[in-house]
Amino acid sequence: MKTPLIALASALLMTAVPATSQDIIVSAEEAAAVELISRELDRNLVHADWPRQQARGEGVAMVRFQRDADGRAVDVEFYRRSGSSSVDRLARRAVKRLGRNAPLPALGGADQIFQANIIVANSEQAFSNFASKLAKLEKTRLSDPRERRVFAFTASPRKAS
């Protein structure tokens, strides 16, 4: 059985060309916080995916959440489901665990929205296809000025164990 690639794919906050002329500016503090959250989410994906008892589906899950006063992920909900119940379960489980080991950084106001874009793919080619699809979805999403205040984050693709 091939092991799927599970990645927290970028919301392209720093790399996508926005559909509007307004640039997106990310401070060093925000970039460091995004990196911290990304690493924790990647660890949670490993934990949520173990033990692997059956093959996972494939897809892109876009999960939104907020940070409570204790630094934990709350109000976890899907912005966009992957189309695979196993991918959605994995993504939701990993996001719900954020802030358990160390509080999430306080960014923005009390109502700051975070978004985790998680790709699960069974091959490099499928991952590439999903990443292209995600880039298009994010370009469309970022064309709405209200969406620009959503913090999204990334981690490197990895092979699931």
Side-chain angles (χ1 to χ4, degrees):
M1 174 174 76
K2 292 183 180 180
T3 57
L5 295 170
I6 301 174
L8 178 61
S10 172
L12 308 176
L13 190 58
M14 295 180 223
T15 59
V17 177
T20 66
S21 62
Q22 181 182 358
D23 289 332
I24 297 174
I25 299 171
V26 179
S27 72
E29 177 188 9
E30 293 166 341
V34 167
E35 178 64 25
L36 180 80
I37 296 168
S38 297
R39 281 193 310 257
E40 184 176 352
L41 186 57
D42 191 50
R43 284 190 300 271
N44 291 350
L45 285 166
V46 171
H47 181 7
D49 193 43
W50 184 262
R52 176 178 300 285
Q53 296 179 351
Q54 61 186 21
R56 295 266 179 221
E58 293 183 302
V60 179
M62 301 167 92
V63 183
R64 289 197 171 173
F65 63 96
Q66 291 183 295
R67 177 192 182 278
D68 71 6
D70 295 326
R72 290 184 158 207
V74 294
D75 300 328
V76 177
E77 60 184 48
F78 285 97
Y79 178 72
R80 184 179 181 280
R81 292 182 181 270
S82 69
S84 166
S85 60
S86 61
V87 171
D88 291 345
R89 273 193 308 274
L90 173 69
R92 185 178 186 91
R93 193 174 307 138
V95 170
K96 282 182 130 182
R97 293 182 56 83
L98 286 172
R100 287 187 179 177
N101 295 324
L104 294 170
L107 294 173
D111 61 343
Q112 178 62 56
I113 299 170
F114 297 88
Q115 180 173 310
N117 295 330
I118 300 169
I119 294 176
V120 177
N122 292 319
S123 69
E124 295 285 343
Q125 181 61 48
F127 179 83
S128 179
N129 292 342
F130 285 127
S132 293
K133 179 180 180 178
L134 177 59
K136 290 175 187 171
L137 290 168
E138 282 299 291
K139 185 174 181 180
T140 300
R141 184 183 70 79
L142 288 171
S143 68
D144 181 346
R146 294 171 297 183
E147 288 293 314
R148 290 174 174 263
R149 42 177 253 97
V150 174
F151 273 83
F153 35 92
T154 185
S156 301
R158 65 165 178 79
K159 290 210 177 191
S161 52

